Amino acid sequence: MVNLADVRAARERLGGDVHRTPLLSSRQLAEIAGGPVYLKCENLQRTGAFKARGALNAVRSLSASERARGVTTFSSGNHGQALAWAAALEGLRAVIFMPTSAPRTKVDAARGYGAEVRFAGTTSPERKAAAEHAVATEGLVMVPPFDDARIVAGQGTCLLEVFEELPTPGFVLVPVGGGGLCAGSALVAAACSKATRVLGIEPHTADAMTRALAAGEVVTIAPPKTIADGLMPLAAGALPFSLAREHLAGTVLVDDDEIRAAVRFLAQRAKLVVEPSGAVGVAALLSGRVRLEGSSAVVILSGGNVAPQFLAEILATGE
Amino acid sequence: MVNLADVRAARERLGGDVHRTPLLSSRQLAEIAGGPVYLKCENLQRTGAFKARGALNAVRSLSASERARGVTTFSSGNHGQALAWAAALEGLRAVIFMPTSAPRTKVDAARGYGAEVRFAGTTSPERKAAAEHAVATEGLVMVPPFDDARIVAGQGTCLLEVFEELPTPGFVLVPVGGGGLCAGSALVAAACSKATRVLGIEPHTADAMTRALAAGEVVTIAPPKTIADGLMPLAAGALPFSLAREHLAGTVLVDDDEIRAAVRFLAQRAKLVVEPSGAVGVAALLSGRVRLEGSSAVVILSGGNVAPQFLAEILATGE
C-alpha cells in the first residue's frame, strides 16, 4: 500500500520542479453551493495537469540502471505528456504509445518534450500490449498512469499542499478516472484530517470506481461516452481501488451537460480554463448533487488541457 | 501627486478584501520572449480586474459625510463593476452611469452588486455629464476611473505585491487606458526598484499615452477601434500622465491581431481567461515588439471580463 510517509517522500523528490498551484476562493460558487469553496488549480500545474506530480515522482524513484533504460507508457493523454516532460527533465529516454487516432496536438506536445511517439491501434488494450512488448524487448521501464504506488504517492502531494493552507475542509472533491489522484487524496486526508470527507466524482457513463465500490472488487465497465476524456478507463486501478475502499467517503456522478456548464462557469466567472475532466467537481456543486450546508469544500481542478476549438464550442453554447 | 507612502496606505485600507493574486511563471512565454516571464493574474482579482483595488481604496478614503451621500461614476466597464462592488462592501449607495448600448451582462453585474444603473447617451462625455449632474443635484461623490490620486494609489498596490515576491524584474509590462494602473506601477517601481523599466502597452489605434508623452501634454485622440474595450479613453488622465512622464520607461503599441493571438495563447497555454485589454502585455512579447534578451519581465494581466461568446470567437479562429 501507500501511506503518508510515501507522499511526503514524493514531495521531497518533486522539490521545486512542480508548481505549488494556487488555492483560490470563489464567492460565486460558495453562494450556489452553500458553503466556502476553494479551487485547487492543477490546471496551472506544469504540463497543464496534476499528472506531472506522479510522473516526476515515479521517474525520480527509478534506480540508476532503470534510468539508463528509459521509460514508456500507454497513455495518450495527460499522463503521457507528463511522463514525456518528467523524462526530459531527468534526461531520460521516453517512448509514448498513442492511438493512430491521436490528435496532432498531443503527438506534437509529447515530441516537443523530446519523447519518441509510437502508434499502436486505437484502443487502450492495444496500446498497453505494444508498450509491454517494448518493455520486454527493449528493456524500457513501464510507468503506468495510475495503478502504481509511486504514481499514487505523487498525486497525493496535491492535497498535502492544500492542507498546509487550509487544514480541515469539510469536503474534498476529486475527479476519478483510474483513481490515482482520488486514492492519493483519500489517503492523505485520512492521515491528516479525519474530519474531511473525500468524494470521488465520475461522469455517469464512466462510473468504474462507483461500481467497484458497490461490488467490493474492481469491475470492468462498457466503453463510456463522455466529454471528460481523461476519466474513461474501463476499470479502476487495483491499488487506487483498495485505497478508495478504505478511505473514500463516497462517489458522485455528473452528466455531460453538467460538466459543460461547469467548464463555462469556470471560464466566465473564475477566469480559468479547465478541461471537462477537471471540471467534474464544480459540476457536482453547480448541479446541486453535492450540497455543502455550511461546510467548506476544496475542489481539485485537475487539468486544463482542452483543445481551443472544443472550448470555444462549449463557451458558445452557453446562455 | 502620489507617492509610495500613499500606495502603502492604500494597501492597509484594502486589507484582505482584495486577493493577493498569483504570480505565475510561464516557461513557454519565456522561451519565446528570451527571458523569464511572470504573469500577475489580476484577471483572478475580485470583480475580475485590478480595478477593485483603486475603487475600494477610493471608497475607504471617503469622509463620513461623503459616505452618507453615496458614490457615482461614468464607467460602464471594469471600474463601474468595481465601484459597485466596493460600495456594496462598505454599505454605500452607488449610481453607475452606462451607455444605452451597454451589454446586458454589464448592467446585470452592476445591479447584482446592488448598484443603481442609469442610462445616458452612448458616448463617454454624455455619461460623464450625466454623472456630474447627479453629483451637483443629488450630492453623490464622483469616483472617476483613473484621474484620481486615490485610484492611482490603489492600482499601485498590485506591483507592490509583485515586488515582495520578485524584487527586481527587468521589465514590467502594463496595459494603458486612462493610465491609472500604469502610473501606479511606474511610481512604485521608481521608488522600490530603480533597475526595473515599466513599459506601458497600448493598442495602436488607442495610443493616447504614447501621443501625450511625445507631445509633452495630454492630447485627445480620435475614437479608436480596437477589441481592447478597456483601453479606449480618448485622453490619458492628467495625473497618470504626469506620473508616466516622470517614471515610465516608454510605451509599446500592439495591434488587434496580436491581441487576439495573446488571448488565445493565454487560454491554450497558460489556462487563463484574460480579456483583450488584459492581454496586451503578452501580445507585446509574442509579437516580438518587446524582446527580453535575458532580462525578466512581469506582465500584468489586468482583467478577465470577456463575454464567453467573444472568447469563443477568438479561440475558434486560431490555428
mmCIF file of all heavy atoms in Angstrom, chain A residues 19 22 24-25 27 43-44 46 48 267-268 270-273 304-306 308-309 311-312 315-316 318-319, chain B residues 19 22 24-25 27 43-44 46 48 267-268 270-273 304-306 308-309 311-312 315-316 318-319:
data_model
loop_
_atom_site.group_PDB
_atom_site.id
_atom_site.type_symbol
_atom_site.label_atom_id
_atom_site.label_comp_id
_atom_site.label_asym_id
_atom_site.label_seq_id
_atom_site.Cartn_x
_atom_site.Cartn_y
_atom_site.Cartn_z
ATOM 1 N N HIS A 19 4.814 23.085 -9.735
ATOM 2 C CA HIS A 19 4.308 24.308 -9.112
ATOM 3 C C HIS A 19 3.531 23.980 -7.840
ATOM 4 O O HIS A 19 2.825 22.972 -7.783
ATOM 5 C CB HIS A 19 3.324 25.031 -10.042
ATOM 6 C CG HIS A 19 3.947 25.619 -11.256
ATOM 7 N ND1 HIS A 19 5.029 26.455 -11.215
ATOM 8 C CD2 HIS A 19 3.623 25.504 -12.564
ATOM 9 C CE1 HIS A 19 5.346 26.828 -12.438
ATOM 10 N NE2 HIS A 19 4.519 26.252 -13.281
ATOM 11 N N PRO A 22 -2.015 27.612 -7.085
ATOM 12 C CA PRO A 22 -2.847 28.461 -6.228
ATOM 13 C C PRO A 22 -4.105 27.743 -5.732
ATOM 14 O O PRO A 22 -4.647 26.871 -6.420
ATOM 15 C CB PRO A 22 -3.255 29.622 -7.155
ATOM 16 C CG PRO A 22 -2.348 29.567 -8.335
ATOM 17 C CD PRO A 22 -1.891 28.151 -8.457
ATOM 18 N N LEU A 24 -7.657 29.044 -4.830
ATOM 19 C CA LEU A 24 -8.437 30.274 -4.972
ATOM 20 C C LEU A 24 -9.828 30.100 -4.389
ATOM 21 O O LEU A 24 -10.466 29.064 -4.583
ATOM 22 C CB LEU A 24 -8.574 30.639 -6.456
ATOM 23 C CG LEU A 24 -7.288 30.788 -7.255
ATOM 24 C CD1 LEU A 24 -7.616 31.047 -8.728
ATOM 25 C CD2 LEU A 24 -6.431 31.918 -6.706
ATOM 26 N N SER A 25 -10.298 31.117 -3.691
ATOM 27 C CA SER A 25 -11.669 31.044 -3.192
ATOM 28 C C SER A 25 -12.621 31.583 -4.251
ATOM 29 O O SER A 25 -12.251 32.435 -5.050
ATOM 30 C CB SER A 25 -11.808 31.842 -1.901
ATOM 31 O OG SER A 25 -11.610 33.214 -2.146
ATOM 32 N N ARG A 27 -16.348 33.164 -4.422
ATOM 33 C CA ARG A 27 -17.551 33.615 -3.715
ATOM 34 C C ARG A 27 -18.812 33.187 -4.432
ATOM 35 O O ARG A 27 -19.811 32.840 -3.816
ATOM 36 C CB ARG A 27 -17.582 35.146 -3.614
ATOM 37 C CG ARG A 27 -16.362 35.741 -3.023
ATOM 38 C CD ARG A 27 -16.609 36.209 -1.607
ATOM 39 N NE ARG A 27 -15.315 36.530 -1.004
ATOM 40 C CZ ARG A 27 -15.159 37.246 0.093
ATOM 41 N NH1 ARG A 27 -16.210 37.710 0.727
ATOM 42 N NH2 ARG A 27 -13.963 37.483 0.575
ATOM 43 N N ASN A 43 -4.888 22.880 -13.041
ATOM 44 C CA ASN A 43 -4.840 23.264 -14.461
ATOM 45 C C ASN A 43 -3.653 24.189 -14.723
ATOM 46 O O ASN A 43 -3.187 24.278 -15.852
ATOM 47 C CB ASN A 43 -6.155 23.933 -14.891
ATOM 48 C CG ASN A 43 -6.454 25.202 -14.115
ATOM 49 O OD1 ASN A 43 -6.192 25.273 -12.900
ATOM 50 N ND2 ASN A 43 -7.002 26.194 -14.765
ATOM 51 N N LEU A 44 -3.157 24.835 -13.660
ATOM 52 C CA LEU A 44 -1.996 25.717 -13.789
ATOM 53 C C LEU A 44 -0.693 24.976 -13.487
ATOM 54 O O LEU A 44 0.372 25.585 -13.415
ATOM 55 C CB LEU A 44 -2.152 26.923 -12.858
ATOM 56 C CG LEU A 44 -3.441 27.742 -13.019
ATOM 57 C CD1 LEU A 44 -3.491 28.876 -12.010
ATOM 58 C CD2 LEU A 44 -3.567 28.305 -14.430
ATOM 59 N N ARG A 46 2.537 22.404 -14.061
ATOM 60 C CA ARG A 46 3.406 22.072 -15.193
ATOM 61 C C ARG A 46 2.729 20.995 -16.039
ATOM 62 O O ARG A 46 2.134 20.073 -15.495
ATOM 63 C CB ARG A 46 4.777 21.540 -14.708
ATOM 64 C CG ARG A 46 5.566 22.480 -13.812
ATOM 65 C CD ARG A 46 6.072 23.721 -14.505
ATOM 66 N NE ARG A 46 6.960 23.422 -15.614
ATOM 67 C CZ ARG A 46 8.256 23.233 -15.512
ATOM 68 N NH1 ARG A 46 8.847 23.317 -14.336
ATOM 69 N NH2 ARG A 46 8.989 22.987 -16.575
ATOM 70 N N GLY A 48 0.140 21.256 -17.564
ATOM 71 C CA GLY A 48 -1.301 21.513 -17.618
ATOM 72 C C GLY A 48 -2.163 20.558 -16.835
ATOM 73 O O GLY A 48 -3.386 20.571 -16.981
ATOM 74 N N ALA A 267 -14.703 29.317 -16.800
ATOM 75 C CA ALA A 267 -14.126 30.297 -17.728
ATOM 76 C C ALA A 267 -14.716 31.679 -17.490
ATOM 77 O O ALA A 267 -14.001 32.676 -17.394
ATOM 78 C CB ALA A 267 -14.347 29.864 -19.173
ATOM 79 N N GLN A 268 -16.038 31.727 -17.349
ATOM 80 C CA GLN A 268 -16.726 33.013 -17.277
ATOM 81 C C GLN A 268 -16.568 33.680 -15.917
ATOM 82 O O GLN A 268 -16.359 34.886 -15.839
ATOM 83 C CB GLN A 268 -18.205 32.798 -17.588
ATOM 84 C CG GLN A 268 -18.985 34.070 -17.803
ATOM 85 C CD GLN A 268 -20.402 33.817 -18.272
ATOM 86 O OE1 GLN A 268 -20.785 32.666 -18.519
ATOM 87 N NE2 GLN A 268 -21.188 34.867 -18.373
ATOM 88 N N ALA A 270 -14.660 32.242 -12.943
ATOM 89 C CA ALA A 270 -13.389 32.082 -12.235
ATOM 90 C C ALA A 270 -12.204 32.440 -13.118
ATOM 91 O O ALA A 270 -11.064 32.489 -12.650
ATOM 92 C CB ALA A 270 -13.238 30.657 -11.712
ATOM 93 N N LYS A 271 -12.452 32.694 -14.415
ATOM 94 C CA LYS A 271 -11.406 33.098 -15.378
ATOM 95 C C LYS A 271 -10.336 32.026 -15.547
ATOM 96 O O LYS A 271 -9.160 32.332 -15.774
ATOM 97 C CB LYS A 271 -10.740 34.425 -14.953
ATOM 98 C CG LYS A 271 -11.673 35.506 -14.454
ATOM 99 C CD LYS A 271 -12.735 35.894 -15.449
ATOM 100 C CE LYS A 271 -13.640 36.968 -14.859
ATOM 101 N NZ LYS A 271 -14.821 37.187 -15.706
ATOM 102 N N LEU A 272 -10.748 30.770 -15.411
ATOM 103 C CA LEU A 272 -9.821 29.648 -15.525
ATOM 104 C C LEU A 272 -10.242 28.731 -16.655
ATOM 105 O O LEU A 272 -11.428 28.414 -16.801
ATOM 106 C CB LEU A 272 -9.810 28.845 -14.220
ATOM 107 C CG LEU A 272 -9.270 29.568 -12.978
ATOM 108 C CD1 LEU A 272 -9.558 28.750 -11.720
ATOM 109 C CD2 LEU A 272 -7.776 29.843 -13.109
ATOM 110 N N VAL A 273 -9.254 28.292 -17.448
ATOM 111 C CA VAL A 273 -9.504 27.283 -18.468
ATOM 112 C C VAL A 273 -9.295 25.913 -17.822
ATOM 113 O O VAL A 273 -8.196 25.596 -17.367
ATOM 114 C CB VAL A 273 -8.560 27.460 -19.674
ATOM 115 C CG1 VAL A 273 -8.704 26.281 -20.639
ATOM 116 C CG2 VAL A 273 -8.864 28.778 -20.383
ATOM 117 N N GLY A 304 -6.103 21.404 -17.400
ATOM 118 C CA GLY A 304 -6.605 22.453 -18.283
ATOM 119 C C GLY A 304 -6.355 22.185 -19.753
ATOM 120 O O GLY A 304 -6.457 23.095 -20.576
ATOM 121 N N ASN A 305 -6.068 20.927 -20.088
ATOM 122 C CA ASN A 305 -5.696 20.627 -21.477
ATOM 123 C C ASN A 305 -6.908 20.316 -22.341
ATOM 124 O O ASN A 305 -7.237 19.167 -22.600
ATOM 125 C CB ASN A 305 -4.687 19.479 -21.490
ATOM 126 C CG ASN A 305 -3.369 19.897 -20.846
ATOM 127 O OD1 ASN A 305 -2.944 21.036 -21.002
ATOM 128 N ND2 ASN A 305 -2.743 18.999 -20.124
ATOM 129 N N VAL A 306 -7.534 21.365 -22.800
ATOM 130 C CA VAL A 306 -8.699 21.230 -23.690
ATOM 131 C C VAL A 306 -8.370 21.945 -24.996
ATOM 132 O O VAL A 306 -7.776 23.032 -24.987
ATOM 133 C CB VAL A 306 -9.968 21.804 -23.004
ATOM 134 C CG1 VAL A 306 -9.739 23.211 -22.490
ATOM 135 C CG2 VAL A 306 -11.170 21.771 -23.936
ATOM 136 N N PRO A 308 -8.566 24.329 -28.011
ATOM 137 C CA PRO A 308 -9.226 25.637 -28.073
ATOM 138 C C PRO A 308 -10.558 25.599 -28.826
ATOM 139 O O PRO A 308 -11.522 26.242 -28.419
ATOM 140 C CB PRO A 308 -8.221 26.517 -28.811
ATOM 141 C CG PRO A 308 -6.919 25.830 -28.703
ATOM 142 C CD PRO A 308 -7.177 24.370 -28.518
ATOM 143 N N GLN A 309 -10.621 24.823 -29.905
ATOM 144 C CA GLN A 309 -11.864 24.758 -30.687
ATOM 145 C C GLN A 309 -12.983 24.109 -29.871
ATOM 146 O O GLN A 309 -14.145 24.513 -29.959
ATOM 147 C CB GLN A 309 -11.651 23.973 -31.991
ATOM 148 C CG GLN A 309 -10.989 24.781 -33.104
ATOM 149 C CD GLN A 309 -9.493 24.979 -32.881
ATOM 150 O OE1 GLN A 309 -8.898 24.412 -31.962
ATOM 151 N NE2 GLN A 309 -8.884 25.812 -33.711
ATOM 152 N N LEU A 311 -13.154 24.075 -26.525
ATOM 153 C CA LEU A 311 -13.527 25.054 -25.501
ATOM 154 C C LEU A 311 -14.440 26.119 -26.103
ATOM 155 O O LEU A 311 -15.442 26.514 -25.492
ATOM 156 C CB LEU A 311 -12.270 25.688 -24.904
ATOM 157 C CG LEU A 311 -12.494 26.777 -23.860
ATOM 158 C CD1 LEU A 311 -13.284 26.256 -22.661
ATOM 159 C CD2 LEU A 311 -11.163 27.366 -23.391
ATOM 160 N N ALA A 312 -14.090 26.563 -27.310
ATOM 161 C CA ALA A 312 -14.906 27.573 -27.998
ATOM 162 C C ALA A 312 -16.333 27.060 -28.171
ATOM 163 O O ALA A 312 -17.302 27.792 -27.942
ATOM 164 C CB ALA A 312 -14.296 27.919 -29.352
ATOM 165 N N LEU A 315 -18.140 27.156 -24.847
ATOM 166 C CA LEU A 315 -18.454 28.529 -24.432
ATOM 167 C C LEU A 315 -19.579 29.115 -25.270
ATOM 168 O O LEU A 315 -20.438 29.843 -24.757
ATOM 169 C CB LEU A 315 -17.218 29.421 -24.549
ATOM 170 C CG LEU A 315 -16.077 29.109 -23.587
ATOM 171 C CD1 LEU A 315 -14.887 30.012 -23.881
ATOM 172 C CD2 LEU A 315 -16.531 29.297 -22.144
ATOM 173 N N ALA A 316 -19.577 28.798 -26.551
ATOM 174 C CA ALA A 316 -20.548 29.418 -27.464
ATOM 175 C C ALA A 316 -21.958 28.898 -27.239
ATOM 176 O O ALA A 316 -22.926 29.577 -27.586
ATOM 177 C CB ALA A 316 -20.126 29.178 -28.913
ATOM 178 N N GLY A 318 -23.392 28.372 -24.351
ATOM 179 C CA GLY A 318 -23.968 28.788 -23.072
ATOM 180 C C GLY A 318 -25.032 29.853 -23.258
ATOM 181 O O GLY A 318 -25.262 30.328 -24.359
ATOM 182 N N GLU A 319 -25.684 30.200 -22.150
ATOM 183 C CA GLU A 319 -26.682 31.271 -22.224
ATOM 184 C C GLU A 319 -25.971 32.593 -22.511
ATOM 185 O O GLU A 319 -24.926 32.878 -22.036
ATOM 186 C CB GLU A 319 -27.482 31.431 -20.917
ATOM 187 C CG GLU A 319 -27.564 30.248 -20.034
ATOM 188 C CD GLU A 319 -26.267 30.036 -19.271
ATOM 189 O OE1 GLU A 319 -25.944 30.875 -18.418
ATOM 190 O OE2 GLU A 319 -25.581 29.046 -19.551
ATOM 191 N N HIS B 19 -7.879 40.150 -3.401
ATOM 192 C CA HIS B 19 -6.995 38.991 -3.425
ATOM 193 C C HIS B 19 -5.542 39.427 -3.620
ATOM 194 O O HIS B 19 -5.266 40.362 -4.375
ATOM 195 C CB HIS B 19 -7.335 38.062 -4.597
ATOM 196 C CG HIS B 19 -8.651 37.379 -4.473
ATOM 197 N ND1 HIS B 19 -9.007 36.651 -3.361
ATOM 198 C CD2 HIS B 19 -9.688 37.281 -5.321
ATOM 199 C CE1 HIS B 19 -10.218 36.142 -3.546
ATOM 200 N NE2 HIS B 19 -10.658 36.522 -4.731
ATOM 201 N N PRO B 22 -2.129 35.448 -7.775
ATOM 202 C CA PRO B 22 -0.924 34.657 -8.045
ATOM 203 C C PRO B 22 0.000 35.334 -9.057
ATOM 204 O O PRO B 22 -0.450 36.065 -9.945
ATOM 205 C CB PRO B 22 -1.478 33.358 -8.645
ATOM 206 C CG PRO B 22 -2.934 33.320 -8.334
ATOM 207 C CD PRO B 22 -3.370 34.741 -8.158
ATOM 208 N N LEU B 24 2.467 33.851 -11.682
ATOM 209 C CA LEU B 24 2.785 32.553 -12.274
ATOM 210 C C LEU B 24 3.907 32.686 -13.292
ATOM 211 O O LEU B 24 3.922 33.635 -14.073
ATOM 212 C CB LEU B 24 1.547 31.982 -12.974
ATOM 213 C CG LEU B 24 0.277 31.841 -12.138
ATOM 214 C CD1 LEU B 24 -0.874 31.369 -13.027
ATOM 215 C CD2 LEU B 24 0.489 30.863 -10.991
ATOM 216 N N SER B 25 4.815 31.740 -13.286
ATOM 217 C CA SER B 25 5.857 31.761 -14.319
ATOM 218 C C SER B 25 5.358 31.003 -15.542
ATOM 219 O O SER B 25 4.560 30.083 -15.429
ATOM 220 C CB SER B 25 7.145 31.138 -13.788
ATOM 221 O OG SER B 25 6.954 29.771 -13.526
ATOM 222 N N ARG B 27 6.983 29.103 -18.745
ATOM 223 C CA ARG B 27 8.181 28.656 -19.475
ATOM 224 C C ARG B 27 8.030 28.888 -20.965
ATOM 225 O O ARG B 27 8.979 29.232 -21.649
ATOM 226 C CB ARG B 27 8.406 27.157 -19.256
ATOM 227 C CG ARG B 27 8.462 26.755 -17.830
ATOM 228 C CD ARG B 27 9.876 26.482 -17.385
ATOM 229 N NE ARG B 27 9.875 26.372 -15.935
ATOM 230 C CZ ARG B 27 10.847 25.822 -15.235
ATOM 231 N NH1 ARG B 27 11.912 25.347 -15.838
ATOM 232 N NH2 ARG B 27 10.774 25.770 -13.925
ATOM 233 N N ASN B 43 -6.627 39.076 -13.521
ATOM 234 C CA ASN B 43 -7.884 38.505 -14.024
ATOM 235 C C ASN B 43 -8.558 37.661 -12.938
ATOM 236 O O ASN B 43 -9.763 37.454 -12.987
ATOM 237 C CB ASN B 43 -7.637 37.670 -15.287
ATOM 238 C CG ASN B 43 -6.692 36.512 -15.046
ATOM 239 O OD1 ASN B 43 -5.730 36.626 -14.287
ATOM 240 N ND2 ASN B 43 -6.956 35.386 -15.683
ATOM 241 N N LEU B 44 -7.764 37.205 -11.959
ATOM 242 C CA LEU B 44 -8.319 36.420 -10.844
ATOM 243 C C LEU B 44 -8.683 37.310 -9.653
ATOM 244 O O LEU B 44 -9.037 36.817 -8.583
ATOM 245 C CB LEU B 44 -7.309 35.344 -10.413
ATOM 246 C CG LEU B 44 -6.818 34.401 -11.537
ATOM 247 C CD1 LEU B 44 -5.801 33.408 -10.980
ATOM 248 C CD2 LEU B 44 -7.972 33.656 -12.191
ATOM 249 N N ARG B 46 -10.841 40.053 -7.347
ATOM 250 C CA ARG B 46 -12.255 40.307 -7.098
ATOM 251 C C ARG B 46 -12.806 41.203 -8.207
ATOM 252 O O ARG B 46 -12.128 42.137 -8.646
ATOM 253 C CB ARG B 46 -12.468 41.007 -5.729
ATOM 254 C CG ARG B 46 -11.902 40.256 -4.527
ATOM 255 C CD ARG B 46 -12.674 38.997 -4.176
ATOM 256 N NE ARG B 46 -14.080 39.248 -3.934
ATOM 257 C CZ ARG B 46 -14.600 39.599 -2.756
ATOM 258 N NH1 ARG B 46 -13.816 39.748 -1.701
ATOM 259 N NH2 ARG B 46 -15.886 39.755 -2.627
ATOM 260 N N GLY B 48 -12.997 40.525 -11.151
ATOM 261 C CA GLY B 48 -12.400 40.135 -12.419
ATOM 262 C C GLY B 48 -11.400 41.105 -12.996
ATOM 263 O O GLY B 48 -11.002 40.960 -14.156
ATOM 264 N N ALA B 267 -5.169 31.347 -23.011
ATOM 265 C CA ALA B 267 -6.160 30.301 -22.747
ATOM 266 C C ALA B 267 -5.562 28.922 -23.000
ATOM 267 O O ALA B 267 -5.703 28.016 -22.180
ATOM 268 C CB ALA B 267 -7.398 30.513 -23.619
ATOM 269 N N GLN B 268 -4.867 28.785 -24.119
ATOM 270 C CA GLN B 268 -4.392 27.459 -24.524
ATOM 271 C C GLN B 268 -3.178 27.015 -23.714
ATOM 272 O O GLN B 268 -3.101 25.852 -23.314
ATOM 273 C CB GLN B 268 -4.046 27.508 -26.013
ATOM 274 C CG GLN B 268 -3.789 26.152 -26.621
ATOM 275 C CD GLN B 268 -3.620 26.219 -28.125
ATOM 276 O OE1 GLN B 268 -3.774 27.290 -28.730
ATOM 277 N NE2 GLN B 268 -3.294 25.092 -28.724
ATOM 278 N N ALA B 270 -1.470 28.990 -20.946
ATOM 279 C CA ALA B 270 -1.412 29.363 -19.532
ATOM 280 C C ALA B 270 -2.690 29.001 -18.791
ATOM 281 O O ALA B 270 -2.748 29.118 -17.572
ATOM 282 C CB ALA B 270 -1.128 30.855 -19.385
ATOM 283 N N LYS B 271 -3.721 28.558 -19.530
ATOM 284 C CA LYS B 271 -5.003 28.122 -18.932
ATOM 285 C C LYS B 271 -5.714 29.242 -18.188
ATOM 286 O O LYS B 271 -6.396 29.021 -17.195
ATOM 287 C CB LYS B 271 -4.807 26.927 -17.980
ATOM 288 C CG LYS B 271 -3.850 25.851 -18.457
ATOM 289 C CD LYS B 271 -4.243 25.228 -19.772
ATOM 290 C CE LYS B 271 -3.221 24.168 -20.173
ATOM 291 N NZ LYS B 271 -3.434 23.742 -21.574
ATOM 292 N N LEU B 272 -5.513 30.468 -18.694
ATOM 293 C CA LEU B 272 -6.110 31.632 -18.054
ATOM 294 C C LEU B 272 -7.034 32.355 -19.027
ATOM 295 O O LEU B 272 -6.677 32.542 -20.194
ATOM 296 C CB LEU B 272 -5.015 32.608 -17.602
ATOM 297 C CG LEU B 272 -4.084 32.093 -16.508
ATOM 298 C CD1 LEU B 272 -2.899 33.056 -16.350
ATOM 299 C CD2 LEU B 272 -4.833 31.959 -15.176
ATOM 300 N N VAL B 273 -8.198 32.751 -18.546
ATOM 301 C CA VAL B 273 -9.098 33.588 -19.334
ATOM 302 C C VAL B 273 -8.728 35.047 -19.067
ATOM 303 O O VAL B 273 -8.835 35.517 -17.932
ATOM 304 C CB VAL B 273 -10.572 33.322 -18.971
ATOM 305 C CG1 VAL B 273 -11.480 34.337 -19.649
ATOM 306 C CG2 VAL B 273 -10.951 31.895 -19.355
ATOM 307 N N GLY B 304 -10.132 39.845 -16.651
ATOM 308 C CA GLY B 304 -10.611 38.643 -17.336
ATOM 309 C C GLY B 304 -12.060 38.731 -17.762
ATOM 310 O O GLY B 304 -12.680 37.714 -18.064
ATOM 311 N N ASN B 305 -12.601 39.953 -17.819
ATOM 312 C CA ASN B 305 -14.028 40.093 -18.103
ATOM 313 C C ASN B 305 -14.313 40.171 -19.602
ATOM 314 O O ASN B 305 -14.496 41.237 -20.172
ATOM 315 C CB ASN B 305 -14.585 41.314 -17.370
ATOM 316 C CG ASN B 305 -14.526 41.109 -15.861
ATOM 317 O OD1 ASN B 305 -14.739 39.995 -15.380
ATOM 318 N ND2 ASN B 305 -14.232 42.159 -15.115
ATOM 319 N N VAL B 306 -14.356 39.011 -20.208
ATOM 320 C CA VAL B 306 -14.654 38.921 -21.640
ATOM 321 C C VAL B 306 -15.912 38.065 -21.800
ATOM 322 O O VAL B 306 -16.071 37.051 -21.107
ATOM 323 C CB VAL B 306 -13.443 38.340 -22.411
ATOM 324 C CG1 VAL B 306 -12.945 37.033 -21.812
ATOM 325 C CG2 VAL B 306 -13.758 38.132 -23.887
ATOM 326 N N PRO B 308 -18.311 35.269 -22.929
ATOM 327 C CA PRO B 308 -17.961 33.911 -23.372
ATOM 328 C C PRO B 308 -18.069 33.753 -24.891
ATOM 329 O O PRO B 308 -17.226 33.089 -25.501
ATOM 330 C CB PRO B 308 -18.981 33.026 -22.665
ATOM 331 C CG PRO B 308 -19.504 33.827 -21.543
ATOM 332 C CD PRO B 308 -19.341 35.266 -21.889
ATOM 333 N N GLN B 309 -19.074 34.353 -25.510
ATOM 334 C CA GLN B 309 -19.235 34.218 -26.959
ATOM 335 C C GLN B 309 -18.072 34.875 -27.705
ATOM 336 O O GLN B 309 -17.620 34.358 -28.714
ATOM 337 C CB GLN B 309 -20.567 34.828 -27.431
ATOM 338 C CG GLN B 309 -21.781 33.934 -27.198
ATOM 339 C CD GLN B 309 -22.218 33.901 -25.736
ATOM 340 O OE1 GLN B 309 -21.698 34.644 -24.905
ATOM 341 N NE2 GLN B 309 -23.160 33.041 -25.397
ATOM 342 N N LEU B 311 -15.001 35.335 -26.445
ATOM 343 C CA LEU B 311 -13.843 34.474 -26.214
ATOM 344 C C LEU B 311 -13.899 33.266 -27.139
ATOM 345 O O LEU B 311 -12.877 32.876 -27.733
ATOM 346 C CB LEU B 311 -13.809 34.033 -24.748
ATOM 347 C CG LEU B 311 -12.673 33.076 -24.363
ATOM 348 C CD1 LEU B 311 -11.300 33.693 -24.626
ATOM 349 C CD2 LEU B 311 -12.783 32.675 -22.886
ATOM 350 N N ALA B 312 -15.090 32.679 -27.278
ATOM 351 C CA ALA B 312 -15.258 31.519 -28.165
ATOM 352 C C ALA B 312 -14.836 31.875 -29.586
ATOM 353 O O ALA B 312 -14.136 31.115 -30.259
ATOM 354 C CB ALA B 312 -16.709 31.046 -28.137
ATOM 355 N N LEU B 315 -11.068 32.089 -29.791
ATOM 356 C CA LEU B 315 -10.440 30.762 -29.715
ATOM 357 C C LEU B 315 -10.649 29.974 -31.001
ATOM 358 O O LEU B 315 -9.763 29.252 -31.454
ATOM 359 C CB LEU B 315 -11.009 29.976 -28.538
ATOM 360 C CG LEU B 315 -10.678 30.510 -27.150
ATOM 361 C CD1 LEU B 315 -11.388 29.685 -26.090
ATOM 362 C CD2 LEU B 315 -9.168 30.495 -26.909
ATOM 363 N N ALA B 316 -11.829 30.103 -31.571
ATOM 364 C CA ALA B 316 -12.175 29.289 -32.741
ATOM 365 C C ALA B 316 -11.402 29.709 -33.979
ATOM 366 O O ALA B 316 -11.222 28.915 -34.899
ATOM 367 C CB ALA B 316 -13.671 29.370 -33.009
ATOM 368 N N GLY B 318 -8.242 30.497 -34.115
ATOM 369 C CA GLY B 318 -6.805 30.213 -34.039
ATOM 370 C C GLY B 318 -6.411 29.038 -34.893
ATOM 371 O O GLY B 318 -7.256 28.373 -35.482
ATOM 372 N N GLU B 319 -5.106 28.794 -34.979
ATOM 373 C CA GLU B 319 -4.634 27.631 -35.728
ATOM 374 C C GLU B 319 -5.028 26.375 -34.943
ATOM 375 O O GLU B 319 -4.972 26.289 -33.767
ATOM 376 C CB GLU B 319 -3.101 27.599 -35.921
ATOM 377 C CG GLU B 319 -2.424 28.921 -35.842
ATOM 378 C CD GLU B 319 -2.299 29.417 -34.402
ATOM 379 O OE1 GLU B 319 -1.506 28.839 -33.656
ATOM 380 O OE2 GLU B 319 -2.999 30.370 -34.047
#
